[in-house]
Amino acid sequence: MIIYNAIMTFTDWMWTLPLLILLIGGGLVITIACDFVQIKHFGFMLRTTLSGGSKSSGEGQISGLQAMIATLANTIGTGNIVGVGSAIAIGGPGAIFWMWVIGFVAMALKYSEAVLGVATRIKDENGNWKGGANRYLSMVWKPLGVAWAISCVFTMAIACGVHTGSITDSAETFGIPAPLVTIIFTIIVFFVIRGGVKALVSVTDKLVPIMGIVYILSGLLVIVLNISNLIPSLVLIFTDAFTGTAATGGFVGATVTVAIRNGCARGVYSNDGGNGSASILHSQADIDEPVEQGMYGIFEVFACTMVICTFTALVVLCTGAWQSGDAGSVMAINAFSTIGPIGHFVSALSLILFAASSALSMATSSGILAEDLFGKTMKRIIQVCVIVCVFVGGIIGVDAALPWVDVCNMIMILFNVIGTLFLIKMLRQLTLDYFQRRKDKLI
């Protein structure tokens, strides 16, 4: 218990100032170096992603769009519902402002991960892509790439448990026993990771767009029914970000420091920006231009944090659920439930689907990374560990495992962002060259 408390105290401190400086500072450096790519080329990013971009040309390969959707399956998860609820429950409405700040810089961070992942990958003897942050960080210093890979595999295993815990918690609101749900989902994970990345995209291609649209439309309905609270809720987000939130109703109050810590931590948890994990699936894309894949990275954060997380936050704030004193893990579901049984059903089902897609994506990514780093035997061992974490997470629930995700994310961010800053020159050259060629109509 003493060791646990020491780890959590240190993690809390890291998320208040050091990581805030690293994430925002690193994201701004990348933004400037890449000519404000997420701002100047926002329209091009939307056209590229919404049009589907270039298609895959190789048998057994996945397109850039499919890689992005598979990565979205990873990011659109419990962080968008449980994470946002937890941020508000502990940090108050002001935490959402800091979630947005992290979202803006995370667009640049995710862009860099996708670009560098594609630019530094290699093909194995079977013609499959091998790439990820472990490869581009090894260009800076080989032990850095190895250390990141080990921490990433560990993070994904724990996160799979968190997502499974969210699934069982939500299923129990329908009266379905947690052990039964845990067993069923563990079996599903087993078969998907055996099928590899193609099995993953066959699921995410259909699941992610549908669940995202249904969730946004449901959130819009709740906001419209509480439209008189929309402007006051937005005002709270901006004012409480710099003043803290006074105790009200069941909410115990929060300082500015607590708002920053929870907004940043939950923001990164929702979009994975800066931790490098997105580079694994992006590097699998059958695409020739690294910067084009980078556009998909920007879109991921925009869709995940700026759109879906914002809808969750506004639902929680507009309905007044944030003042109830409920735990963050159920706050959003309770907020949706204010419109009746259909609201409860949609929110709980969305959480189940979000969490399931994230767990499947992370389980597959961990196998890809383990095989790249240690070979096929270690890949199987890691996959067994992931399945064990999935099962354990379903039994213990989300709240017990969530703090460890912050610890693991902290480690990955330190390795990835610091290493990426040493590759700024390469990143800038790839970016400027691509858009110059577009300007000259060479591509």
Side-chain angles (χ1 to χ4, degrees):
M1 182 61 70
I2 295 176
I3 296 176
Y4 173 85
N5 290 336
I7 292 173
M8 293 306 162
T9 299
F10 176 73
T11 302
D12 286 343
W13 174 76
M14 285 292 293
W15 275 109
T16 52
L17 187 60
L19 282 184
L20 181 64
I21 294 173
L22 183 62
L23 283 168
I24 296 179
L28 289 176
V29 169
I30 294 172
T31 297
I32 295 170
C34 294
D35 197 26
F36 298 89
V37 63
Q38 75 267 48
I39 300 174
K40 289 182 64 174
H41 303 291
F42 186 81
F44 172 66
M45 176 273 292
L46 288 179
R47 291 194 300 273
T48 299
T49 53
L50 297 180
S51 68
S54 56
K55 307 301 181 183
S56 172
S57 59
E59 180 68 26
Q61 301 294 322
I62 63 173
S63 68
L65 177 64
Q66 288 178 313
M68 185 268 287
I69 292 176
T71 310
L72 264 179
N74 187 340
T75 56
I76 299 180
T78 57
N80 301 96
I81 302 178
V82 174
V84 174
S86 296
I88 297 175
I90 301 173
I96 302 306
F97 174 85
W98 297 107
M99 187 176 285
W100 288 338
V101 171
I102 287 297
F104 173 75
V105 296
M107 290 184 189
L109 293 167
K110 267 286 183 76
Y111 168 80
S112 69
E113 293 168 17
V115 171
L116 292 173
V118 172
T120 61
R121 66 188 179 179
I122 62 172
K123 277 192 174 182
D124 62 18
E125 62 277 6
N126 298 317
N128 298 316
W129 289 116
K130 298 173 68 175
N134 57 306
R135 291 205 168 268
Y136 62 74
L137 292 177
S138 292
M139 294 174 60
V140 178
W141 188 41
K142 189 170 183 178
L144 184 64
V146 175
W148 176 87
I150 293 172
S151 62
C152 183
V153 170
F154 186 63
T155 301
M156 287 183 174
I158 294 178
C160 284
V162 171
H163 293 308
T164 310
S166 296
I167 293 172
T168 56
D169 287 350
S170 298
E172 283 185 318
T173 67
F174 295 117
I176 305 174
L180 176 62
V181 176
T182 300
I183 292 171
I184 293 174
F185 186 65
T186 301
I187 294 172
I188 293 173
V189 171
F190 171 77
F191 281 107
V192 170
I193 63 176
R194 276 181 60 87
V197 69
K198 287 297 290 184
L200 174 66
V201 298
S202 68
V203 176
T204 56
D205 276 358
K206 303 175 183 64
L207 182 60
V208 172
I210 294 174
M211 71 184 190
I213 292 171
V214 170
Y215 185 73
I216 289 172
L217 291 177
S218 302
L220 186 61
L221 174 61
V222 177
I223 294 169
V224 169
L225 293 176
N226 295 273
I227 195 66
S228 62
N229 296 327
L230 178 59
I231 299 302
S233 296
L234 290 171
V235 171
L236 272 178
I237 290 174
F238 286 98
T239 57
D240 289 15
F242 302 97
T243 63
T245 308
T248 176
F251 182 71
V252 297
T255 63
V256 174
T257 300
V258 173
I260 294 173
R261 181 255 186 269
N262 284 276
C264 292
R266 297 282 79 80
V268 173
Y269 177 50
S270 74
N271 60 50
D272 287 336
N275 69 16
S277 61
S279 62
I280 301 171
L281 289 174
H282 279 298
S283 66
Q284 301 298 307
D286 183 29
I287 196 168
D288 295 325
E289 297 287 350
V291 172
E292 184 178 330
Q293 195 62 33
M295 295 297 105
Y296 291 118
I298 295 174
F299 181 81
E300 285 168 27
V301 179
F302 173 72
C304 178
T305 301
M306 301 305 190
V307 178
I308 296 180
C309 283
T310 298
F311 267 94
T312 302
L314 291 177
V315 166
V316 170
L317 296 176
C318 286
T319 59
W322 69 281
Q323 298 174 307
S324 64
D326 292 335
S329 57
V330 298
M331 184 175 287
I333 293 178
N334 291 344
F336 274 95
S337 298
T338 59
I339 63 172
I342 186 63
H344 173 85
F345 175 80
V346 169
S347 60
L349 182 61
S350 295
L351 180 53
I352 290 172
L353 295 177
F354 284 12
S357 67
S358 292
L360 293 174
S361 179
M362 288 184 177
T364 303
S365 295
S366 64
I368 294 172
L369 182 58
E371 182 176 5
D372 186 11
L373 196 64
F374 302 113
K376 291 186 177 181
T377 300
M378 183 56 70
K379 172 185 177 180
R380 297 304 180 194
I381 294 173
I382 293 300
Q383 287 176 332
V384 170
C385 292
V386 168
I387 291 173
V388 171
C389 286
V390 166
F391 184 81
V392 173
I395 299 300
I396 67 175
V398 63
D399 290 326
L402 191 57
W404 288 105
V405 176
D406 289 344
V407 176
C408 296
N409 258 328
M410 172 190 70
I411 297 171
M412 289 177 63
I413 288 167
L414 287 172
F415 291 151
N416 183 64
V417 177
I418 292 174
T420 299
L421 292 177
F422 282 93
L423 299 170
I424 282 291
K425 184 177 180 180
M426 176 184 179
L427 194 58
R428 175 177 173 81
Q429 184 177 353
L430 287 167
T431 303
L432 296 182
D433 176 69
Y434 175 80
F435 286 108
Q436 184 61 51
R437 285 186 289 125
R438 280 190 57 82
K439 184 178 180 180
D440 296 339
K441 297 183 179 180
L442 298 176
I443 53 176

